[in-house]
């Protein structure tokens, strides 16, 4: 069965520090992975997907099939990055999106 | 465009009462979903609908029913609410089941006493 693990419930960093939000997955097929973000009082929204290999708001994420990981990184955190971040895996067999438990990122001034 | 609209935003129920959460999308999406969000458990899929006229169970369907009324609307019904159903409920839509980009509503906070 597919599973997404986000080991940290809370990650607290200072402004300007590097950030890495961890995501590990288990899936026997070829995964499609995503990061979603929920800012305070806003809707949950897609941040980025591994297929596009893009950088959004300074965030990047690389799919590492050997380590079954899809960690989200940003070299210099900003206060406005404070939010709840969810890693998600598309189960291409059942065509459903499975979410991890989420990591709350808190960036302090 | 409003995107995905959910009502009500807040609701308090007594154990055993019933209620329906309404969801509508104006993006002409085929697939629609209901998730619940609980602390420490993330988002869990309750039911989904691939297209108008079809619905399927997700990860945690017990105690819920759904109706895909038309392409725009997808409702979630609690027939006999239980305290374990206290949660924040999110409706979402996507172009189709293969799309990993879902568009979410603002959420409905439900408390069952």
């Amino acid at each position: 069965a597919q599973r997404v693990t986000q080991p940290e419930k809370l990650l607290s960093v200072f402004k300007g520090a590097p950030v890495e939000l961890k995501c590990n997955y288990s899936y026997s097929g070829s995964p499609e992975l995503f990061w979603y973000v929920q800012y305070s009082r806003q809707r949950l929204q897609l941040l980025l997907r591994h297929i596009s290999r893009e950088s959004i708001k300074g965030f990047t994420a690389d799919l590492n099939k050997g380590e079954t990981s899809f960690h989200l990184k940003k070299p210099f955190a900003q206060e406005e990055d404070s939010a709840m971040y969810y890693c998600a895996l598309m189960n291409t067999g059942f065509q459903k999106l499975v979410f991890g438990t989420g990591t709350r990122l808190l960036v302090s001034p | 465009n409003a995107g995905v609209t959910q009502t009500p935003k807040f609701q308090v129920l007594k154990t055993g009462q019933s209620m329906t959460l309404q969801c509508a999308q104006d993006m002409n999406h085929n697939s629609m979903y209901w998730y619940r969000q609980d602390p420490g458990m993330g988002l869990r899929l309750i039911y989904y609908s691939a297209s108008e006229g079809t619905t399927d169970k997700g990860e945690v369907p017990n105690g819920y029913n759904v109706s895909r009324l038309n392409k725009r609307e997808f409702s979630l019904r609690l027939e006999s609410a239980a305290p374990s159903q206290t949660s924040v409920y999110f409706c979402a839509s996507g172009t189709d089941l293969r799309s990993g980009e879902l568009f979410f509503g603002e959420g409905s906070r439900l408390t069952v006493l």
Side-chain angles (χ1 to χ4, degrees):
Chain A
Q2 68 284 358
R3 188 183 183 95
V4 177
T5 302
Q6 293 181 251
E8 303 140 328
K9 287 185 179 178
L10 172 67
L11 184 61
S12 186
V13 302
F14 288 105
K15 177 183 173 181
V19 169
E20 182 179 66
L21 291 91
K22 291 184 168 46
C23 172
N24 289 89
Y25 67 90
S26 61
Y27 181 56
S28 57
S30 183
E32 294 180 46
L33 286 146
F34 306 82
W35 277 99
Y36 276 76
V37 62
Q38 187 174 26
Y39 300 104
S40 179
R41 288 186 288 278
Q42 292 190 30
R43 301 174 189 226
L44 190 63
Q45 59 187 289
L46 178 67
L47 179 63
L48 55 80
R49 64 185 84 193
H50 91 270
I51 282 180
S52 57
R53 302 181 66 82
E54 58 197 344
S55 173
I56 302 292
K57 298 184 179 183
F59 284 98
T60 58
D62 291 318
L63 177 60
N64 186 323
K65 291 187 178 180
E67 296 183 358
T68 60
S69 67
F70 187 56
H71 303 327
L72 184 68
K73 300 178 184 179
K74 185 169 183 177
F76 306 103
Q78 303 299 315
E79 289 180 68
E80 55 265 31
D81 295 328
S82 295
M84 191 75 175
Y85 292 80
Y86 290 97
C87 182
L89 179 150
M90 172 62 80
N91 181 335
T92 52
F94 295 98
Q95 300 172 327
K96 290 178 289 185
L97 204 56
V98 176
F99 286 86
T101 52
T103 297
R104 181 167 297 282
L105 175 64
L106 181 61
V107 182
S108 303
Chain B
N1 286 343
V4 178
T5 304
Q6 291 179 232
T7 56
K9 287 188 170 52
F10 300 94
Q11 184 73 47
V12 179
L13 292 176
K14 294 181 180 178
T15 297
Q17 287 185 318
S18 62
M19 77 157 298
T20 300
L21 297 173
Q22 307 285 356
C23 175
Q25 52 92 8
D26 61 4
M27 295 174 283
N28 201 36
H29 284 165
N30 289 305
S31 60
M32 295 186 74
Y33 310 80
W34 277 105
Y35 285 89
R36 59 178 288 173
Q37 183 186 45
D38 301 291
M41 305 196 76
L43 285 151
R44 293 180 293 169
L45 183 63
I46 305 171
Y47 270 93
Y48 66 101
S49 170
S51 60
E52 182 179 353
T54 69
T55 61
D56 282 290
K57 294 179 180 179
E59 185 184 357
V60 289
N62 291 345
Y64 305 95
N65 285 302
V66 291
S67 295
R68 183 75 183 267
L69 305 169
N70 47 55
K71 191 170 186 178
R72 290 186 65 248
E73 298 172 288
F74 187 40
S75 62
L76 178 72
R77 183 161 178 82
L78 286 69
E79 290 290 352
S80 179
S84 61
Q85 294 178 305
T86 294
S87 187
V88 181
Y89 292 85
F90 287 96
C91 178
S93 69
T95 51
D96 54 49
L97 282 186
R98 292 172 101 48
S99 172
E101 182 173 11
L102 300 188
F103 294 82
F104 283 82
E106 293 179 299
S108 299
R109 184 175 294 275
L110 175 65
T111 301
V112 183
L113 303 175

